[in-house]
Amino acid sequence: MENSRCENCIIRQFNSLRAMSKEELKKVSDSKTTKKLKKGEPLFEEGDKLNGVFCVRNGVSKLSKLSPNGKDQIVKLATKGEVIGQRSVIAEESANLSAIAVSDMEVCFIPKESINTTLQSNPNFTLEVLRHMAHDLKEADDVIVNMSQKTVKQRVAEAFLYLKNNFGEDEEGFLTLTLSREDISNVVGTATESAIRIISDFKKQGLIHTSGKRIGIKNQKKLQELVDGF
């Protein structure tokens, strides 16, 4: 289909591919393949050798790292428009994170030859890639600061506000992106039992409402005050 061609795809406006010329995009489009994943399926796993990058057309992927004690730490949720795997491909290193679908996904796989060729010939594209990698580093720095300076309750509250602000709510007032209690604990860096207890506390305090795995925000102002330390 024409709208699945890179040069016609509006998704690229959200990532470094926007710096490519139309001719370069055509070459990328000729070399790419599209893949669909079901919720829970891995895109790649930590230690895999990546032969290209993945551009998210639809859905959400969790990027996580396995700690020595066997617990996952989710460091990022990659959404529509984001390119996954740039650092590994450019550095020619194995993936240091796993990418697993947390909703049904559609991704485009772009072979590393297409990326490397354009990096060498198009300085604007190189600069865009560097900007996106620098942004990812900033986000990683923020995660480290949050872990060291905020309480677990503050981090859980911040996670709910992040999910609302970035993914929105459904018509019933629940967060559109439903994460398991384990995923929530892996986002904030705590035990699953602690996350469950805090969610229960938030519900009793009237900050959130729940239905099964679904969570909705009832008092955004109070949650924000908790995050800010008031």
Side-chain angles (χ1 to χ4, degrees):
M1 293 195 316
E2 277 303 301
N3 63 356
S4 68
R5 299 276 309 169
C6 295
E7 62 269 29
N8 301 324
C9 181
I10 61 168
I11 299 297
R12 65 183 171 83
Q13 295 303 321
F14 302 111
N15 60 49
S16 51
L17 298 182
R18 65 186 175 191
M20 285 187 176
S21 69
K22 194 151 190 172
E23 285 307 311
E24 287 167 338
L25 285 168
K26 284 179 180 176
K27 288 177 183 175
V28 167
S29 198
D30 289 339
S31 67
K32 77 174 176 72
T33 53
T34 303
K35 182 177 182 180
K36 291 187 177 181
L37 292 95
K38 291 289 185 187
K39 180 179 178 179
E41 280 191 85
L43 191 55
F44 56 82
E45 298 190 9
E46 194 174 334
D48 284 355
K49 185 73 174 172
L50 300 186
N51 294 313
V53 300
F54 298 89
C55 181
V56 182
R57 278 179 63 85
N58 278 302
V60 183
S61 171
K62 62 180 179 183
L63 303 181
S64 61
K65 189 162 185 65
L66 197 63
S67 65
N69 65 5
K71 185 172 175 61
D72 268 331
Q73 173 63 54
I74 297 175
V75 298
K76 183 180 175 71
L77 293 172
T79 63
K80 185 176 180 177
E82 296 198 53
V83 175
I84 307 173
Q86 285 183 131
R87 192 207 62 80
S88 298
V89 167
I90 292 168
E92 294 188 342
E93 294 177 354
S94 299
N96 70 324
L97 301 171
S98 294
I100 296 172
V102 291
S103 67
D104 289 353
M105 293 184 74
E106 185 180 359
V107 298
C108 292
F109 174 76
I110 304 170
K112 66 179 182 181
E113 292 76 18
S114 296
I115 299 298
N116 289 339
T117 300
T118 313
L119 280 172
Q120 292 166 18
S121 61
N122 184 338
N124 289 331
F125 175 64
T126 306
L127 188 58
E128 276 293 321
V129 170
L130 286 172
R131 279 180 180 147
H132 280 82
M133 289 172 70
H135 177 72
D136 285 346
L137 281 173
K138 179 183 177 296
E139 284 192 338
D141 289 344
D142 290 343
V143 168
I144 293 168
V145 170
N146 275 350
M147 290 292 182
S148 62
Q149 295 185 358
K150 290 183 178 174
T151 66
V152 178
K153 276 192 175 183
Q154 284 177 306
R155 299 201 299 269
V156 172
E158 191 169 45
F160 291 157
L161 293 173
Y162 172 86
L163 289 172
K164 180 182 177 181
N165 292 335
N166 287 272
F167 303 100
E169 298 173 315
D170 63 21
E171 62 278 358
E172 296 178 77
F174 292 102
L175 297 171
T176 302
L177 182 64
T178 302
L179 295 180
S180 68
R181 301 302 189 255
E182 184 179 8
D183 277 345
I184 292 169
S185 72
N186 290 343
V187 166
V188 302
T190 191
T192 305
E193 296 76 16
S194 296
I196 291 170
R197 188 167 59 250
I198 289 167
I199 290 168
S200 178
D201 287 345
F202 283 0
K203 188 176 178 182
K204 287 173 187 171
Q205 293 169 37
L207 303 179
I208 63 171
H209 59 110
T210 64
S211 175
K213 287 184 179 180
R214 297 193 298 166
I215 292 172
I217 292 175
K218 283 181 76 173
N219 194 329
Q220 184 166 342
K221 184 172 178 286
K222 286 285 186 186
L223 278 178
Q224 190 60 60
E225 286 175 355
L226 174 58
V227 172
D228 295 336
F230 296 137

